[in-house]
Amino acid sequence: MDFQLTDDQRALRTGMRELLARRFPRTRLRAVVDGAAGWGDGDAARGDGGTARGGELDRALWRELGAAGLFALRVPESSGGVGLGLPEVVLAFEEAGRALLPGPLVATELAAGLSGSLAAGAAQGETVVTALDEGGAPVEHLASADVVLALGPTAVEVIPAKEVARSAQPMRSIDPATPLHRSTPTRTRLDRVEQAAQAGQAAQAAQAVQAVQADQTGQADQTGQADQTGQAGPGRSGLAVRLRREAALLTAAQQLGSASRTVELAVDHARHRTQFGRPIGAFQAVQHLCAQMLVRAESARSVVYAAAVTEDPGDIAAAKLLADEAAVHNARDCLQVHGGMGFTWEADVHLHLKRAWVRAGQWQSGAAAEEELAAGLVSTVETCL
Amino acid sequence: MDLTYTEDEEDFRHRLRAWLAEVLPKLPDRPHPADWPGRRAYDCGWQRMLHEAGYAGLHWPEDAGGRGATPTQHLIFLEETERAGAPYVGAGFVGLLHAGPTIAAEGTSEQRARWLPPILRGDEVWCQGFSEPDAGSDLASLRTRAVRDGDEYVISGSKIWTSHAEIADWCELLVRTAPVNADTPKHRGITWLAMPMDAPGVTVRPLRTLAGTAEFAEVFLDEVRVPVGHRVGAENDGWRVTMVTLSFERGTAFVGEVVACRRVLEALARTARANGRWDDAVLRRRLGRLAAECAALWRLTQWNVSEAQRTGGVPGVGGSVFKLRFSQVRQELYDAAAEVLGPDALDAGQEWVADRLSSLSYTIAAGTSQIQRNIVAERILGLPKGR
């Protein structure tokens, strides 16, 4: 057993951090945010076209991330991917969360692992894929997306973004860098897939996915069909369940990155801000806030990394639960350490908090994670601990 | 990020499991908690069995009589013994985890030969004389004095929170050998001594904990004479010597308890299902959250052990982070247990109620949570030294 990062994993993390520092430095983040803030009414954050201001995805950056392999880390080398595993994706997404990189990263990464032209486009950063979560979370970056990956409890569907946008209502997103739409799934097609899945015909369900995908994107691509069927996995709901879990884990990874970053921001502020003739970080009241932040971040890190290795549903639920909590509470404490500055638009603290709130509502809520973990306590399956 | 154990590690685990399955049924009944001589005999008997099977001093260096096991093997040992319901280290705690490793690291060859083998065999029991009524978190301000008289130190003062004092043969004792003044800060001037507990002038008075039992004691020292040869390390260098000891406490010290957390949690869920409280979503979700916390504690342990393995056995800075979370979760676990028990939570005869009471010490013993936060803030986060 060696739970620590390998040299290659460290290098990947460093590479991702450097790439984001180059291509998405703080000034870029602020341009996105302050563009959205310009009108103060969230108008631009609706991202409903016709404006280059905040909230609109930077397609050039997205392609560059694709070219760097961010979305193809898990795609086999034989299919033009990087051929790594979930732990590596988690490390990369942790860096994205750290830098507050906007965009539907999770859905695009998941789509790149499917098949056909959709997967290839997503992997290259050409096709922007956002997600529709049956859990009811708003759809992020809908106006910038090409397609929507809709994940029900057992069904998977790919819908053109324009179609979803027709019935979706833009929200005044709390996160100035993440435009959000309220949406209800287009029930008919999803139900069709759902029924097929529930009939216990995995292959048929997967083919339905493929058919819908081909139908809706207008890019019939039969070459990937065998892969698609294989991805349905054992059991009738294999694919949807797996994708939902991976989505929760990759969301947790971003939360972890944010939680670590807010520890750094708080510590940095506490070392330089002087009151009563000394840095405020010399006061135990402030020190102990910072110490608890580190405890939260490191506890979350241990389960997020473990879940990336085991892919165990219980581990993933624990990862999402603790990472959500670490991101939200660390941002709150970071805000407190910053004092009055923490309440300003100018400081980045609120961006971490708002993004953490958005992500906490995605894929697996705290309540759902707790219920899943509770169910795990009474199941007869031997746990890894 | 590899969580699979190597073939050697799995082999170690399987041999240990087989041995535990063979010997545990032969153990005598556990003594009553108030029966100190019985507890000493039981704990030392277990240590002798470990010694005969080659598991004594697993994590000690081989030249100290240990097995030189890797941190991962030590983790497996602690995990498997807890799962199998084997006895806890008990009376051997200070000898095996504090005094022994200190003597192994800092003692002369004569000292190592005199004191280490009886610890490993379970022949001699050690206790710890560090804290004083006026020196708790601020340990370095201790005032028990040792004055040199020829080949002996003459010691007067008092120690507190000393576990196993009634049944110990030896005490690892910190004493002041140089007064604190402008030239001598309090951390200098401290010396580490091995004191026989049967020496004239040693008086032990048991202290009753809030759980009602006498788990530790006060130790009064009235002109106790200890040979200079019982000093480990140089005179006035005891603080540094002690830090070697304390760092051992932050390694794998709580593995058994973390494994036990999961077991307790599963038992709580069973009980809650039986008595209907499982239908309360608030309680159910609370138990679910604790499952996540327990998983995190286990993964943090594996993370820290892997780090120690890479650094050659030196516990990393993760110890304080772990202990902060662990002690909090341990208390939350038994608070949840009280909710599962309902009115029975007021019955001190219930196992979980007794455990709930003892869990109250976790945020205090071995460095209070406040001191741990100071350590995290200053040594890990690099914040300026506080006041």
Side-chain angles (χ1 to χ4, degrees), chain A residues 318-373:
Chain A
K320 182 64 167 46
L321 182 67
L322 297 190
D324 281 346
E325 183 180 271
V328 170
H329 286 241
N330 278 11
R332 292 285 284 264
D333 285 351
C334 183
L335 196 156
Q336 187 68 23
V337 169
H338 276 72
M341 274 307 293
F343 193 64
T344 65
W345 188 268
E346 177 188 338
D348 290 347
V349 189
H350 70 108
L351 303 176
H352 282 279
L353 179 58
K354 291 166 178 174
R355 192 76 63 87
W357 278 336
V358 168
R359 285 190 292 236
Q362 292 173 332
W363 301 114
Q364 194 170 34
S365 69
E370 286 171 350
E371 288 287 5
E372 175 155 1
L373 287 156

Side-chain angles (χ1 to χ4, degrees), chain B residues 14-226:
Chain B
H14 287 118
R15 275 185 290 122
L16 175 61
R17 266 188 198 171
W19 179 74
L20 288 168
E22 181 200 323
V23 300
L24 290 183
K26 299 181 199 160
L27 278 179
D29 288 339
R30 287 185 193 231
H32 189 273
D35 174 13
W36 279 104
R39 282 174 66 171
R40 177 184 163 126
Y42 184 84
D43 294 348
C44 290
W46 171 240
Q47 183 60 30
R48 259 189 293 280
M49 289 166 71
L50 287 172
H51 184 256
E52 281 161 21
Y55 290 115
L58 204 59
H59 60 298
W60 287 21
E62 283 177 90
D63 65 6
R67 312 297 299 178
T70 63
T72 304
Q73 284 174 324
H74 194 208
L75 173 75
I76 293 169
F77 174 82
L78 294 166
E79 182 192 358
E80 290 298 328
T81 47
E82 171 61 36
R83 276 176 186 275
Y88 181 57
V89 62
F93 186 85
V94 172
L96 287 160
L97 289 147
H98 294 244
T102 303
I103 294 164
E106 298 289 328
T108 64
S109 51
E110 290 80 15
Q111 289 172 334
R112 288 156 61 114
R114 165 63 190 85
W115 285 314
L116 298 184
I119 292 174
L120 293 172
R121 285 195 305 264
D123 288 345
E124 289 184 347
V125 169
W126 285 68
C127 64
Q128 193 179 66
F130 284 10
S131 296
E132 297 181 4
D134 290 326
S137 293
D138 183 13
L139 181 59
S141 70
L142 61 89
R143 291 192 304 210
T144 292
R145 287 195 63 200
V147 179
R148 191 77 177 258
D149 181 22
D151 289 342
E152 291 176 324
Y153 286 105
V154 182
I155 305 160
S156 291
S158 65
K159 294 291 177 179
I160 198 165
W161 321 131
T162 304
S163 301
H164 302 106
E166 295 99 317
I167 52 163
D169 304 292
W170 294 92
C171 178
E172 56 164 338
L173 191 69
L174 289 181
V175 294
R176 181 157 300 287
T177 40
V180 179
N181 57 37
D183 300 327
T184 315
K186 59 188 178 182
H187 297 80
R188 309 277 157 77
I190 291 172
T191 298
W192 195 104
L193 297 174
M195 179 182 75
M197 287 298 283
D198 60 358
V202 177
T203 307
V204 174
R205 194 178 78 188
L207 277 170
R208 203 169 177 204
T209 72
L210 58 73
T213 53
E215 284 299 317
F216 41 47
E218 279 183 285
V219 179
F220 298 96
L221 308 170
D222 182 15
E223 302 203 336
V224 178
R225 290 183 167 265
V226 170

Side-chain angles (χ1 to χ4, degrees), chain A:
Chain A
M1 179 195 71
D2 185 3
F3 193 19
Q4 300 271 315
L5 272 56
T6 64
D7 290 345
D8 284 349
Q9 286 170 338
R10 284 175 204 279
L12 181 131
R13 187 174 63 179
T14 306
M16 183 68 187
R17 190 170 296 189
E18 287 170 357
L19 173 75
L20 289 173
R22 253 189 342 268
R23 291 295 289 116
F24 191 70
R26 180 169 183 272
T27 49
R28 290 279 312 137
L29 171 68
R30 292 310 310 200
V32 172
V33 168
D34 297 331
W39 302 94
D41 61 0
D43 166 66
R46 281 158 55 185
D48 48 0
T51 170
R53 287 201 306 272
E56 186 146 322
L57 206 63
D58 180 347
R59 285 270 180 172
L61 172 61
W62 204 253
R63 274 191 292 273
E64 189 162 346
L65 294 171
L70 177 62
F71 306 121
L73 284 171
R74 287 192 290 162
V75 175
E77 286 179 281
S78 57
S79 306
V82 186
L84 294 170
L86 207 45
E88 284 76 17
V89 185
V90 160
L91 289 173
F93 273 56
E94 182 186 340
E95 291 303 316
R98 212 186 118 82
L100 285 171
L101 179 67
L105 296 161
V106 170
T108 302
E109 201 276 348
L110 293 181
L114 297 175
S115 62
S117 57
L118 168 67
Q124 288 155 15
E126 295 293 339
T127 309
V128 176
V129 185
T130 188
L132 182 59
D133 174 6
E134 275 287 88
V139 182
E140 59 176 19
H141 298 277
L142 180 59
S144 301
D146 301 305
V147 288
V148 177
L149 184 63
L151 296 181
T154 57
V156 182
E157 187 185 12
V158 177
I159 314 169
K162 282 193 173 60
E163 184 179 324
V164 174
R166 276 201 291 278
S167 61
Q169 293 296 316
M171 297 169 70
R172 185 174 158 186
S173 175
I174 194 166
D175 174 8
T178 309
L180 296 174
H181 279 77
R182 272 190 205 89
S183 176
T184 45
T186 45
R187 296 298 318 180
T188 45
R189 279 193 315 277
L190 207 53
D191 282 348
R192 195 174 83 204
V193 183
E194 202 79 52
Q195 280 159 10
Q198 283 167 6
Q201 296 162 325
Q204 188 186 324
Q207 277 162 17
V209 169
Q210 187 69 21
V212 166
Q213 183 179 325
D215 180 39
Q216 297 305 326
T217 60
Q219 295 170 310
D221 186 341
Q222 298 302 313
T223 58
Q225 193 157 338
D227 288 340
Q228 183 70 63
T229 308
Q231 280 164 352
R236 62 190 184 189
S237 56
L239 180 64
V241 168
R242 177 170 69 76
L243 292 178
R244 295 179 64 83
R245 283 190 183 132
E246 289 173 358
L249 177 62
L250 296 184
T251 305
Q254 292 175 82
Q255 296 285 56
L256 170 62
S258 174
S260 302
R261 181 65 186 142
T262 47
V263 179
E264 293 172 12
L265 291 174
V267 167
D268 192 55
H269 184 79
R271 285 164 79 164
H272 295 106
R273 168 72 176 168
T274 299
Q275 287 289 274
F276 302 103
R278 64 176 72 145
I280 61 168
F283 294 103
Q284 288 188 332
V286 175
Q287 290 188 338
H288 288 192
L289 273 180
C290 295
Q292 282 307 114
M293 291 171 71
L294 185 75
V295 171
R296 272 188 220 112
E298 295 308 303
S299 299
R301 181 184 312 284
S302 69
V303 275
V304 170
Y305 288 1
V309 174
T310 66
E311 301 181 28
D312 173 79
D315 282 344
I316 290 174
K320 182 64 167 46
L321 182 67
L322 297 190
D324 281 346
E325 183 180 271
V328 170
H329 286 241
N330 278 11
R332 292 285 284 264
D333 285 351
C334 183
L335 196 156
Q336 187 68 23
V337 169
H338 276 72
M341 274 307 293
F343 193 64
T344 65
W345 188 268
E346 177 188 338
D348 290 347
V349 189
H350 70 108
L351 303 176
H352 282 279
L353 179 58
K354 291 166 178 174
R355 192 76 63 87
W357 278 336
V358 168
R359 285 190 292 236
Q362 292 173 332
W363 301 114
Q364 194 170 34
S365 69
E370 286 171 350
E371 288 287 5
E372 175 155 1
L373 287 156
L377 285 173
V378 293
S379 74
T380 51
V381 180
E382 173 87 2
T383 55
C384 57
L385 173 57

